[in-house]
């Protein structure tokens, strides 16, 4: 047996933080329109305490609008939103303190050093000067930026600027961290470095809402995933469940001679005469059973095959089917 495409590159399916059944963020029948455009259409779901929750959708699907509604940067038309059990309207100030927001475009004061700019930012959160310096230094060390503390923001690399954006969002020790496209435009090494820091933050108990256009990022990071299109939730489930039930894995048998006639009971398959191959498409949850039954059928019928390969489906492929085939 050989594997045509060893898909699993990074810890897929591993829960990072301690996930509970308690909602950290709850949306109930949330709708928002801009003129004739329905940005969010009766959206309801929970983000559970301790999880990394992935929000995936094409441009214009409503991801940014949803973030803006949760953080009160935009007023929704209807529905209710709570953060850590606090109604964001009735308990605005307390609810807002529970959230840390890191936007897609990192921003910082260009006239101060990294450390001094972060200390000023801490003051906006009501952190007294006597504590702000220690808090900033601790975070700079955790994010491997302490050696850059006296440099200006513009002198930092793109990956370092993203880290500063994360530090700003974490200064006031929020319970929920919202990351909007946190690794956009970063190279592979910087992206993986940032992933490690996000995992560490999640391990410390912070719930994370992640939006991304990099589907492999969601595959590597998220515990549960929500597919969003045209302001509507198409699918929401654990990543493992999505992979097991919606995947279309390929079991391919190759034959040295002509492709034989198969006995009754052989699984549905596609025939590729030019390659001398037969391809069976199967969900991940059924793969082992289908493979065992197929091998038994071939053995009973005394049909020889040259080899077989298994190609695992990717979340990116599932995403495209869910988004565009619905």
């Amino acid at each position: 047996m050989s594997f045509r495409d060893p898909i699993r590159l990074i810890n897929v399916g591993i829960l990072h933080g301690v996930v509970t059944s308690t909602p950290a963020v709850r949306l109930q029948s949330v709708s928002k329109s801009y003129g004739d455009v329905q940005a969010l259409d009766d959206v309801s779901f929970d983000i559970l305490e301790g999880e990394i929750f992935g929000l995936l959708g094409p441009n214009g699907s409503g991801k940014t609008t949803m973030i803006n509604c949760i953080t009160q940067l935009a007023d929704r038309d209807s529905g209710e939103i709570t953060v850590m059990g606090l109604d964001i309207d009735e308990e605005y100030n307390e609810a807002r303190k529970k959230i840390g927001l890191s936007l897609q475009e990192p921003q910082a004061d260009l006239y101060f050093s990294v450390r001094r700019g972060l200390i000023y930012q801490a003051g906006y959160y009501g952190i007294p000067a006597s504590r702000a310096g220690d808090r900033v230094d601790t975070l700079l060390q955790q994010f491997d930026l302490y050696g850059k503390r006296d440099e200006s923001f513009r002198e930092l690399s793109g990956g370092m600027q993203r880290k500063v954006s994360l530090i700003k969002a974490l200064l006031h020790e929020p319970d929920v961290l919202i990351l909007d496209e946190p690794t956009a435009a970063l190279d592979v090494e910087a992206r993986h470095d940032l992933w490690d820091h996000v995992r560490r933050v999640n391990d410390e108990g912070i719930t994370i809402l992640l939006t991304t256009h990099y589907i492999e990022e969601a595959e590597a990071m998220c515990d549960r995933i929500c597919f969003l299109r045209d302001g509507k939730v198409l699918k929401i489930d654990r990543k493992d469940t999505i992979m097991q039930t919606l995947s279309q894995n390929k079991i391919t048998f190759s034959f040295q001679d002509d492709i034989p006639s198969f006995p009754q009971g052989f699984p549905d398959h596609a025939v590729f005469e030019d390659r001398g191959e037969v391809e069976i498409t199967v969900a991940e949850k059924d793969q082992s059973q289908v493979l065992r039954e197929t091998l038994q059928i071939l053995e009973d019928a005394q049909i020889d095959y040259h080899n077989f390969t298994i190609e695992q489906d990717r979340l990116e492929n599932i995403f495209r089917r869910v988004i565009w085939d619905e």
Side-chain angles (χ1 to χ4, degrees):
M1 173 181 174
S2 63
F3 289 89
R4 179 181 297 168
D5 184 9
I7 296 299
R8 299 292 178 257
L9 299 178
I10 2 176
N11 294 330
V12 173
I14 298 176
L15 290 174
H16 303 292
V18 178
V19 181
T20 74
S21 59
T22 305
V25 179
R26 168 166 285 177
L27 285 76
Q28 294 177 289
S29 301
V30 174
S31 294
K32 170 68 178 176
S33 61
Y34 297 97
D36 295 332
V37 177
Q38 191 70 42
L40 294 177
D41 189 358
D42 195 30
V43 171
S44 298
F45 63 78
D46 291 344
I47 300 173
L48 305 179
E49 284 188 22
E51 74 175 336
I52 301 180
F53 183 90
L55 190 60
L56 305 183
N59 289 333
S61 62
K63 301 187 301 297
T64 299
T65 298
M66 187 178 298
I67 288 175
N68 289 342
C69 287
I70 294 172
T71 57
Q72 289 284 54
L73 295 176
D75 294 328
R76 62 199 182 281
D77 299 332
S78 59
E80 298 178 359
I81 300 176
T82 60
V83 176
M84 302 304 293
L86 301 170
D87 185 285
I88 66 169
D89 296 319
E90 297 178 1
E91 301 167 283
Y92 170 78
N93 288 330
E94 290 305 311
R96 187 62 187 86
K97 292 176 184 177
K98 301 292 184 180
I99 300 173
L101 174 61
S102 178
L103 296 172
Q104 183 174 347
E105 293 296 330
Q107 299 176 348
D109 196 319
L110 301 180
Y111 297 98
F112 297 112
S113 68
V114 168
R115 183 178 186 273
R116 189 171 182 184
L118 288 170
I119 289 175
Y120 274 111
Q121 183 71 29
Y124 296 144
Y125 290 118
I127 300 173
S130 58
R131 286 204 309 114
D134 288 342
R135 176 66 177 158
V136 168
D137 288 344
T138 296
L139 287 169
L140 286 172
Q141 290 168 351
Q142 289 177 347
F143 281 84
D144 303 321
L145 286 179
Y146 191 71
K148 302 290 184 179
R149 63 191 182 280
D150 294 325
E151 297 185 15
S152 69
F153 185 75
R154 71 180 70 191
E155 293 178 284
L156 303 181
S157 67
M160 292 177 182
Q161 289 180 356
R162 297 283 178 174
K163 288 182 182 180
V164 172
S165 180
L166 275 175
I167 290 174
K168 287 175 62 178
L170 292 168
L171 281 171
H172 61 299
E173 301 181 79
D175 294 289
V176 178
L177 177 63
I178 298 177
L179 304 178
D180 188 14
E181 302 287 345
T183 61
L186 296 186
D187 60 35
V188 173
E189 183 176 353
R191 191 180 307 164
H192 282 253
D193 181 46
L194 201 67
W195 289 357
D196 288 340
H197 287 288
V198 172
R199 290 190 184 101
R200 176 183 54 77
V201 169
N202 180 240
D203 287 340
E204 293 171 356
I206 296 178
T207 303
I208 294 174
L209 168 58
L210 168 71
T211 75
T212 180
H213 279 103
Y214 297 117
I215 307 302
E216 74 273 18
E217 185 163 86
E219 189 171 8
M221 300 289 295
C222 296
D223 302 313
R224 285 194 307 142
I225 290 173
C226 172
F227 293 128
L228 193 70
R229 188 188 70 188
D230 298 328
K232 296 183 179 181
V233 173
L234 300 182
K235 179 75 175 178
I236 182 168
D237 213 331
R238 283 179 53 87
K239 176 184 61 188
D240 293 349
T241 302
I242 289 172
M243 296 300 298
Q244 289 167 6
T245 58
L246 299 184
S247 57
Q248 295 182 4
N249 293 353
K250 307 295 184 184
I251 305 174
T252 302
F253 285 86
S254 60
F255 299 87
Q256 287 183 321
D257 302 319
D258 294 337
I259 294 176
S261 297
F262 299 110
Q264 187 175 4
F266 194 84
D268 291 338
H269 57 278
V271 176
F272 300 93
E273 293 281 0
D274 57 327
R275 304 200 306 256
E277 293 179 347
V278 167
E279 186 177 270
I280 300 168
T281 301
V282 61
E284 184 176 299
K285 66 182 180 63
D286 300 322
Q287 177 179 292
S288 296
Q289 180 179 346
V290 170
L291 179 58
R292 285 195 301 269
E293 292 174 352
T294 303
L295 291 172
Q296 190 63 55
I297 289 171
L298 292 174
E299 181 179 342
D300 292 344
Q302 297 183 334
I303 297 175
D304 293 329
Y305 59 91
H306 174 63
N307 193 16
F308 73 85
T309 61
I310 299 176
E311 183 176 353
Q312 306 284 348
D313 204 0
R314 295 300 302 257
L315 182 62
E316 181 175 357
N317 300 328
I318 296 173
F319 168 78
R320 294 175 65 184
R321 291 195 296 269
V322 170
I323 292 296
W324 303 120
D325 292 349
E326 283 283 333

